[in-house]
Amino acid sequence: QVKAQLEEKEGKTFDVFTAVEFRSQVVAGTNYFIKVHVGNDEFMHLRVFKSLPHTNKPLSLHSYQSSKTQHDELAFF
């Protein structure tokens, strides 16, 4: 659901976009930290926010980190 948001921010499209690991953090909603394989040996870490159900808002890409590898630890950021 956030692929298009990331592609817009990066100014490119990703042929491969596969989540391989995630963590979550409960706040006034939920932050999801997701390691995504974007092709070749490239990975990105995404921070996606899911608001509380009663707000009826879509998932939003809060921030991301590029130039990650498969072995980089997925940490809160």
Side-chain angles (χ1 to χ4, degrees):
Q1 292 184 13
V2 297
K3 180 183 179 194
Q5 293 176 51
L6 180 63
E7 288 176 337
E8 183 178 329
K9 288 179 187 277
E10 281 286 291
K12 60 183 176 182
T13 58
F14 298 104
D15 294 331
V16 177
F17 197 82
T18 308
V20 295
E21 181 182 349
F22 82 96
R23 293 179 178 207
S24 61
Q25 175 187 41
V26 176
V27 288
T30 306
N31 282 321
Y32 291 98
F33 299 88
I34 308 167
K35 182 185 293 187
V36 177
H37 179 225
V38 293
N40 299 320
D41 292 328
E42 296 180 53
F43 289 79
M44 298 182 90
H45 293 182
L46 312 182
R47 179 177 173 186
V48 176
F49 180 71
K50 181 178 182 181
S51 58
L52 294 171
H54 73 277
T55 64
N56 206 23
K57 293 183 180 176
L59 291 176
S60 64
L61 177 63
H62 186 272
S63 58
Y64 65 96
Q65 298 174 337
S66 56
S67 301
K68 296 293 187 175
T69 69
Q70 181 178 1
H71 302 292
D72 285 339
E73 181 181 351
L74 181 60
F76 298 132
F77 61 93

